[in-house]
């Protein structure tokens, strides 16, 4: 049991920390001064873990102390580990039962795209590994990855000097609970995009958790390598993602929903049997993935895949100026709207500083978005289409075309799947 | 820092180091052979790479690789295969006397052997080559100095079935990323051409018959060294 556990340990981490924080909150609740305590959040993304606290600005000192305590001095008692194991198990079962396939599909597409390395390793702990994780394992993970050069303390709405003082007081020179004895040997692997296919056959005919039946659907996700968020091409890719847009077919629509994005206009409006067509863009420090998720009835999987490959090919074609402007405006407004919420600002500041040691301010990003031209979008789309696809499929997969056919379709001029000849109809 | 590998002494040293392996492996049947062309672009020693056409199907479309291909029954030996394929893909005819020797063979996931053949092709301008557009999209050269800078080197750990399996090197910040078997072969070449200045990253890749280089920098660890203690444990 080796490296693979490491990423799964993060699942443990999230559940565990929630618990410890709740303990402390319980204690704090008895101190009336700290009624102003706000939200405790731990979030775990594919490549980062975030601990966030919101409180009244008078409590900055306590809050930084609290965070330092939580991060550096975790009390990993056996009963906590046991309870976390149960929580993780519950989370896994919940993942398999719920009708919304999003988290599972995201994990599968990463597994397919980055075969067996870095971001492609399991994010959710597989059942057989739950029992193997204990205190030493967690400590060894912490020892290797929770080092000063991989951590960022970010504050929003506080004075810089004040924050630095608190950091000095609580974080400087503190010995973490797991000891800092030997020289650490961290995994600085570069994420390697390989492309590939990940299939999960599952009977989706009875996924509804309530009395209303949900139609049986097969979900597929087709992705191609884009670029990391450090490169200049990241903004054109973001605009391209917004231009594709999409969503569920049962959307009520409305302004800002993306009703005029390509996946709605070309796919969902024209083919009533498509239940969902959405485009996602995941971007990390050394690589990125642009994918389209589609769902439909199992008998129409082949047509669905063909429609998606056609849409990918059209991405490399000409871009209408009006469409591009709409996508750029939508991206800008979504960026500004998201940056109004605290957790998103935390994440933005933290990630940017971790990766680039500086932060691009929102108006700089808006300027970069405004400067995107149709040629940029066309160029990045063509570059993307040269690579190998990554395919994830969930549900009844009898009619799914083979990976080689999908690859051929994505390299062809029009995106059509190769014709298969069936002798018996 | 960078020994003058294009000089006559450099070439003689490399030929001598590779002589033993070359004699042993030359006639042994292999699935495929690639040519590692050591050229000099504007006086700077560099390795020549090709970008495979994205119109090819198969697992390696659009990847960076060395010129080469599968061994034909009509080829006398692996050197012949490498030279023939280079001529077909790039239009570059390399005479057999320019071949310095055979590097350590590598194994692709399907256990097929790929034998790298190192040859010095002399001064070359990659722009002047007319590659076969059905197989090759682009030809480019990466200077050895660029490959030897640590900021351009990286590695990726690969796992299989929840266990750490092997590490592959990767070379970044060129016109295209060099990874996979091509990066492994590049690593062998760098170890030979610039001993002492390159830290190899390859580990855990099982290769029977690990001859080819006189003394590799670090002995390759076999995956059987997996220990039972949990947590971070690399097979290095």
């Amino acid at each position: 049991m080796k490296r693979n556990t490491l990423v799964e340990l993060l699942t443990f981490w999230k559940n565990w920390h929630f618990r410890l924080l709740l303990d402390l909150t319980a204690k704090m609740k008895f101190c009336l001064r700290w009624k102003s305590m706000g939200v405790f959040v731990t979030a775990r993304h594919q490549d980062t873990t975030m601990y966030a606290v919101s409180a009244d600005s008078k409590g900055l000192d306590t809050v930084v102390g609290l965070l330092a305590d939580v991060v550096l001095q975790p009390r990993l008692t056996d009963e906590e580990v046991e309870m976390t194991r149960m929580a993780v198990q519950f989370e896994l079962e919940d993942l398999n039962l719920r009708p919304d396939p999003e988290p599972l599909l995201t994990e599968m597409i990463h597994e397919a795209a980055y075969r067996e390395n870095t971001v492609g390793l399991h994010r959710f702990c597989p059942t057989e590994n739950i029992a193997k994780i204990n205190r030493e394992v967690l400590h060894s993970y912490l020892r290797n990855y929770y080092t000063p050069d991989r951590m960022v303390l970010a504050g929003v709405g506080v004075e810089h000097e004040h924050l630095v003082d608190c950091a000095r007081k609580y974080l400087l020179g503190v010995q973490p609970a797991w000891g800092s004895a030997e020289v650490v040997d961290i995994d600085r692997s570069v994420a390697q995009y390989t492309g590939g296919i990940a299939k999960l056959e599952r009977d989706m005919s009875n996924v509804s958790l309530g009395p209303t039946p949900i139609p049986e659907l097969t979900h597929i996700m087709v992705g191609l390598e884009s670029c990391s968020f450090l490169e200049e091409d990241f903004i054109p890719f973001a605009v391209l993602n917004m231009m594709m847009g999409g969503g569920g077919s049962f959307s009520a629509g409305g302004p800002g929903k993306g009703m005029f994005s390509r996946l709605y206009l070309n796919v969902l409006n024209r083919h009533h049997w498509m239940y969902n067509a959405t485009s996602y863009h995941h971007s990390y420090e050394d690589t990125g993935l642009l994918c389209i998720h589609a769902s439909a009835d199992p008998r129409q999987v082949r047509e669905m895949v063909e429609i998606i490959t056609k849409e990918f090919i059209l991405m490399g074609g000409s871009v209408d100026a009006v469409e591009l402007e709409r996508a750029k405006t939508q991206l800008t407004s979504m960026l500004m709207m998201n940056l109004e919420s605290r957790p998103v600002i935390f994440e933005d500041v933290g990630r940017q500083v971790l990766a680039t040691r500086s932060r691009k301010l929102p108006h700089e990003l808006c300027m970069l978005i405004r400067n995107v031209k149709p040629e940029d979008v066309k160029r990045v789309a063509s570059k993307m289409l040269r690579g190998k696809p990554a395919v994830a499929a969930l549900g009844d997969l009898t009619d799914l075309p083979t990976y080689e056919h999908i690859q051929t379709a994505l390299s062809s001029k029009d995106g059509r799947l190769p014709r298969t000849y069936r002798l018996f109809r | 820092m960078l020994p003058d590998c294009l000089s006559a002494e450099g070439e003689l040293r490399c030929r001598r180091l590779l002589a033993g392996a070359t004699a042993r492996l030359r006639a042994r049947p292999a699935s495929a052979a690639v040519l590692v062309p050591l050229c000099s672009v504007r006086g700077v020693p560099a390795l020549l790479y090709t970008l495979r056409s994205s119109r090819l199907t198969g697992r390696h479309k659009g990847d960076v690789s060395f010129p080469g291909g599968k061994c034909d029954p009509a080829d006398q030996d692996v050197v012949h295969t490498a030279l023939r394929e280079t001529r077909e893909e790039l239009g570059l005819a390399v005479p057999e006397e320019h071949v310095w020797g055979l590097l350590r063979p590598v194994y692709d996931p399907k256990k097929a052997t790929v034998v790298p053949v190192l040859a010095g092709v002399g001064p070359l301008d990659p722009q002047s080559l007319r590659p076969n557009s059905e197989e090759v999209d682009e030809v480019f050269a990466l200077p050895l100095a660029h490959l030897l800078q640590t900021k351009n080197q990286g590695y990726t750990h690969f796992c299989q079935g929840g266990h750490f399996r092997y590490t592959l090197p990767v070379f970044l910040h060129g016109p295209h990323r060099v990874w996979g078997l091509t990066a492994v072969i590049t690593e062998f070449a760098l170890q030979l051409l610039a001993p002492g200045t390159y830290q190899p990253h390859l580990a855990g890749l099982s290769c029977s018959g690990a001859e080819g280089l006189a003394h590799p920098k670090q002995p390759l660890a076999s995956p059987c060294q997996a220990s039972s203690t949990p947590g971070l444990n690399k097979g290095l």
Side-chain angles (χ1 to χ4, degrees):
Chain A
M1 178 193 64
K2 304 226 175 112
R3 181 119 348 175
N4 207 15
T5 341
L6 295 181
V7 180
E8 297 144 14
L9 282 179
L10 292 175
T11 326
F12 256 67
W13 212 233
K14 171 186 167 191
N15 282 308
W16 177 84
H17 267 289
F18 229 1
R19 196 147 297 109
L20 178 60
L21 284 168
L22 288 176
D23 289 339
L24 283 176
T25 328
K27 280 191 224 131
M28 298 283 182
K29 273 201 170 78
F30 293 106
C31 314
L32 288 172
R33 277 188 300 161
W34 306 114
K35 259 193 312 195
S36 47
M37 277 293 183
V39 172
F40 293 89
V41 168
T42 45
R44 174 184 46 95
H45 308 279
Q46 202 85 12
D47 57 345
T48 52
T49 312
M50 200 172 79
Y51 304 88
V53 179
S54 292
D56 190 287
S57 52
K58 288 193 286 289
L60 177 64
D61 218 39
T62 321
V63 160
V64 177
L66 179 66
L67 274 178
D69 214 27
V70 161
V71 175
L72 295 177
Q73 314 284 341
R75 234 179 357 133
L76 293 170
T77 59
D78 288 326
E79 45 171 300
E80 276 175 0
V81 177
E82 193 51 49
M83 286 204 294
T84 314
R85 274 203 201 116
M86 291 199 305
V88 170
Q89 198 142 18
F90 168 72
E91 195 181 314
L92 270 185
E93 285 169 14
D94 177 59
L95 203 67
N96 287 332
L97 279 181
R98 60 161 95 166
D100 171 29
E102 239 24 272
L104 197 54
L105 264 181
T106 316
E107 175 159 332
M108 279 170 65
I109 190 94
H110 279 95
E111 198 186 313
Y114 303 96
R115 195 172 48 96
E116 292 157 5
N117 71 80
T118 56
V119 245
L121 297 175
H122 292 167
R123 195 161 154 242
F124 299 107
C125 193
T127 15
E128 58 270 11
N129 280 348
I130 294 183
K132 296 187 204 159
I133 297 183
N134 58 16
R135 194 160 188 235
E136 286 94 59
V137 175
L138 287 170
H139 270 190
S140 76
Y141 171 79
L142 292 174
R143 196 177 306 130
N144 284 294
Y145 286 93
Y146 275 37
T147 54
D149 58 333
R150 290 170 81 103
M151 304 205 300
V152 165
L153 175 70
V156 177
V158 296
E159 259 190 43
H160 182 75
E161 285 309 318
H162 196 181
L163 186 66
V164 171
D165 288 335
C166 294
R168 263 198 213 111
K169 190 157 69 163
Y170 290 106
L171 289 172
L172 201 60
V174 171
Q175 273 285 16
W178 52 85
S180 49
E182 59 268 26
V183 175
V184 295
D185 205 5
I186 339 179
D187 181 7
R188 287 193 194 284
S189 291
V190 175
Q192 185 53 58
Y193 182 88
T194 54
I197 182 164
K199 295 197 272 205
L200 188 54
E201 294 253 6
R202 180 185 282 187
D203 180 21
M204 307 278 276
S205 51
N206 196 12
V207 292
S208 163
L209 298 169
T212 324
I214 295 183
E216 179 182 1
L217 294 176
T218 295
H219 305 272
I220 59 146
M221 220 185 212
V222 178
L224 287 170
E225 185 178 18
S226 65
C227 74
S228 85
F229 56 75
L230 296 174
E231 294 178 30
E232 291 161 0
D233 279 347
F234 172 64
I235 304 281
F237 268 116
V239 173
L240 178 64
N241 180 40
M242 196 56 72
M243 206 168 69
M244 298 308 290
S249 67
F250 291 105
S251 171
K257 257 301 210 134
M259 286 289 126
F260 286 93
S261 56
R262 278 198 189 170
L263 285 179
Y264 265 112
L265 286 178
N266 298 346
V267 175
L268 290 170
N269 286 358
R270 288 201 195 153
H271 307 277
H272 63 94
W273 43 267
M274 289 277 274
Y275 278 79
N276 187 326
T278 326
S279 116
Y280 296 96
H281 185 214
H282 305 274
S283 194
Y284 307 103
E285 202 177 322
D286 39 18
T287 185
L289 183 67
L290 183 90
C291 37
I292 294 187
H293 166 213
S295 356
D297 190 77
R299 282 162 300 190
Q300 283 155 316
V301 171
R302 209 186 141 76
E303 286 93 1
M304 171 170 69
V305 172
E306 188 154 21
I307 291 172
I308 298 296
T309 49
K310 278 195 201 149
E311 280 305 311
F312 264 112
I313 301 290
L314 284 175
M315 275 195 225
S318 63
V319 173
D320 185 39
V322 171
E323 192 180 34
L324 185 69
E325 278 313 304
R326 184 184 296 125
K328 283 173 11 184
T329 318
Q330 197 171 2
L331 182 63
T332 318
S333 83
M334 194 176 281
L335 177 77
M336 302 308 279
M337 185 178 78
N338 280 334
L339 281 177
E340 286 178 13
S341 86
R342 290 290 164 88
V344 178
I345 304 184
F346 282 148
E347 191 190 332
D348 183 41
V349 171
R351 264 181 190 255
Q352 289 207 41
V353 172
L354 263 180
T356 59
R357 306 243 171 274
S358 70
R359 184 184 179 225
K360 282 206 184 84
L361 294 169
H363 65 83
E364 291 171 29
L365 288 172
C366 292
M367 179 73 66
L368 287 170
I369 295 173
R370 255 202 297 279
N371 289 343
V372 169
K373 299 191 202 36
E375 302 86 58
D376 293 327
V377 174
K378 191 163 175 190
R379 177 178 49 85
V380 300
S382 317
K383 189 172 80 155
M384 180 178 73
L385 283 168
R386 299 192 72 256
K388 288 182 280 232
V391 181
L394 175 68
D396 180 352
L397 303 177
T398 30
D399 276 342
L400 184 72
T402 60
Y403 178 73
E404 285 73 28
H405 282 182
I406 300 179
Q407 197 176 16
T408 318
L410 283 170
S411 349
S412 68
K413 283 262 175 330
D414 54 1
R416 299 188 81 90
L417 287 167
R419 292 270 151 266
T420 56
Y421 297 96
R422 288 183 219 186
L423 288 175
F424 304 101
R425 287 201 164 266
Chain B
M1 189 192 72
L2 180 67
D4 192 9
C5 35
L6 294 182
S7 67
E9 304 89 57
E11 181 178 333
L12 208 52
R13 180 183 70 83
C14 294
R15 279 183 187 264
R16 215 177 293 135
L17 281 173
L18 295 178
T22 309
R24 249 192 320 255
L25 298 171
R26 189 163 172 152
R28 205 186 281 184
S31 317
V34 292
L35 188 77
V36 181
L38 176 66
C39 54
S40 104
V41 180
R42 287 188 286 272
V44 174
L47 291 177
L48 198 68
Y49 293 90
T50 63
L51 187 67
R52 292 171 67 106
S53 165
S54 53
R55 274 189 297 247
L56 295 171
T57 52
R59 331 163 39 111
H60 299 293
K61 74 163 226 174
D63 284 347
V64 169
S65 77
F66 288 113
K70 288 207 173 49
C71 290
D72 215 24
D75 293 327
Q76 298 153 351
D77 57 17
V78 286
V79 172
H80 197 216
T81 309
L83 297 177
R84 174 182 60 79
E85 287 284 339
T86 310
R87 203 171 48 241
E88 287 172 10
E89 286 180 12
L90 296 182
L92 178 68
V94 179
E96 203 168 317
E97 310 82 64
H98 286 191
V99 171
W100 293 8
L102 268 55
L103 298 173
R104 195 186 318 175
V106 291
Y107 298 83
D108 77 355
K110 292 199 200 66
K111 302 281 183 283
T113 35
V114 179
V115 179
V117 176
L118 179 66
V121 298
L124 187 64
D125 179 18
Q127 310 303 340
S128 67
L129 290 174
R130 289 279 162 268
N132 179 359
S133 57
E134 272 176 35
E135 297 188 38
V136 170
D137 263 352
E138 193 185 317
V139 179
F140 63 98
L142 282 180
L144 290 185
H146 170 95
L147 292 169
L148 285 171
Q149 284 177 339
T150 31
K151 72 171 169 68
N152 294 331
Q153 297 164 9
Y155 58 88
T156 308
H157 293 302
F158 285 83
C159 303
Q160 256 168 24
H163 295 265
F164 165 72
R165 273 285 177 261
Y166 53 91
T167 313
L168 290 186
V170 66
F171 295 95
L172 311 159
H173 304 133
H176 303 277
R177 191 192 268 200
V178 180
W179 64 284
L181 284 184
T182 312
V184 175
I185 299 175
T186 311
E187 184 162 280
F188 292 162
L190 287 177
Q191 279 176 299
L192 177 77
L193 294 170
T197 32
Y198 179 72
Q199 280 295 26
H201 294 295
L202 179 66
L205 210 51
S206 61
C207 39
S208 56
E211 322 98 355
L213 283 181
H215 28 255
K217 262 294 137 192
Q218 268 177 344
L220 286 190
S222 77
C224 316
Q225 274 178 15
S227 101
S228 60
T229 56
L232 257 196
N233 197 342
K234 292 197 293 209
L236 271 171

